[in-house]
Amino acid sequence: MNDAAWAVYTEQMDNVDGWFFEADVELFSHLLACQTAEGIRGDMLEIGAYQGKSAILMGYGLRDHEELVICDLFGAVMDHADIAQSPRQEYAGLEEQQFLANWDRFHTRRPTLEVCESSALDLGERGLRFIHIDGCHENRCVANDIRLAVTHAAKRGVIAMDDYRGVETPGVAAAVWQAVGNGYLFPFAATYMKIYACASAADQSYWLERIRNRGDICASPDFEFPSYRSVSDMHLHHTADEH
C-alpha cells in the first residue's frame, strides 16, 4: 500500500463499523507488504467480513491478476444453525449491499462474493497467500475453516484467526490448538485479538524472521512466539481488566 492509500485508509477506517484493532491493522499491512516485496503470489480469502473493515485493507494488497474471495452469509446469518441466537442477533440486518457500499469508498475493483456458509465454499484449485478466518466461532466451524485454509494455503501463505483467546469463544481456541497439536497449523505471532499461523514449519520460520523485531518474544519449548501490540491495544487490555 502506498502512502496515499494508507492515509486514506487510516483516516476513513473509523467510519466503517467493525472490530479491527491497531496492532492487527499494522501486522496485516506488514505481512501483505512483505508478500508483495518478496513476490509471494496467490489469491486471498476472508471468512466473515461484517462491514468490510479488514477486507478493505486486504484489498490494498491485491495485484491485478489476483482475487479476494469474501465468504459471508450476510442477511442469512439468522438461519445459521451453528451460531447461537444472541450472536446471530448482533449481525441481523447486515446486507451484502452495505458491505459493498463500504468497499466502493476505497476500491474500484470489487472482490468475489460467495454468499454461503464456509463449509459450502468451493475454492477449486486456488492457492491462497492470505486468509482471514472470522466467521462462525463455534468449534466445528472453526476447525473446518482451518482445514480449508491449510488445504489451500500457498507457499508462504498466512492464516490469521480472530478471537482465539476470548472467554466467550472457547471453541475458537480449542480448534486452533487442536490443529497445532495435530501438526498442521504453525503459529508465528499473536495480538490481543488474533493469532497468525501458516501451514508448514518452514513457513513458520520464514515469517518469524520477518517479524522477530516487531513484538515481545514469548519463548516456549516448541517455537518462538512474538506477541505484537500497539499503545492503543495496551490501553484496551487495561480497560478490559478493570471491568
Side-chain angles (χ1 to χ4, degrees), residues 19-84:
W19 306 269
F20 196 29
F21 297 105
E22 185 178 337
D24 293 298
V25 172
E26 293 175 3
L27 198 47
F28 268 51
S29 299
H30 177 68
L31 295 170
L32 289 167
C34 284
Q35 289 183 332
T36 299
E38 301 187 25
I40 298 168
R41 300 188 177 278
D43 291 335
M44 301 189 207
L45 169 66
E46 180 166 78
I47 298 174
Y50 193 51
Q51 294 196 26
K53 211 175 187 82
S54 52
I56 290 165
L57 179 55
M58 292 168 67
Y60 281 110
L62 282 175
R63 303 178 182 93
D64 289 342
H65 59 282
E66 295 172 335
E67 289 185 280
L68 169 58
V69 179
I70 300 294
C71 179
D72 199 297
L73 285 169
F74 294 106
V77 70
M78 293 297 290
D79 301 321
H80 196 309
D82 289 322
I83 302 178

Side-chain angles (χ1 to χ4, degrees), residues 4 50 69 78 85 89 95 101 119 135 140 179 188 197 201 219:
Y50 193 51
V69 179
M78 293 297 290
Q85 188 66 28
Q89 291 173 346
E95 298 296 339
S119 59
R140 182 178 65 171
F188 63 86

Side-chain angles (χ1 to χ4, degrees), residues 150-211:
V150 168
T151 299
H152 288 273
K155 185 177 181 180
R156 310 305 191 211
V158 171
I159 304 168
M161 291 157 285
D162 193 60
D163 283 333
Y164 75 103
R165 60 184 295 280
V167 67
E168 296 179 351
T169 55
V172 178
V176 167
W177 295 116
Q178 184 177 41
V180 174
N182 287 338
Y184 59 88
L185 188 69
F186 298 82
F188 63 86
T191 65
Y192 186 68
M193 295 299 296
K194 301 184 191 293
I195 190 166
Y196 296 76
C198 40
S200 73
D203 287 352
Q204 180 187 51
S205 297
Y206 175 90
W207 286 113
L208 273 170
E209 288 299 317
R210 280 147 185 81
I211 64 167

Side-chain angles (χ1 to χ4, degrees), residues 6 15 23 60 174 187 224-225:
W6 176 253
N15 296 325
Y60 281 110
E224 292 180 333
F225 200 65

Side-chain angles (χ1 to χ4, degrees), residues 8 12-16 60 100-107:
V8 170
Q12 297 295 323
M13 66 177 295
D14 287 341
N15 296 325
V16 179
Y60 281 110
L100 289 173
N102 287 332
W103 175 274
D104 290 345
R105 288 162 47 200
F106 296 85
H107 300 294

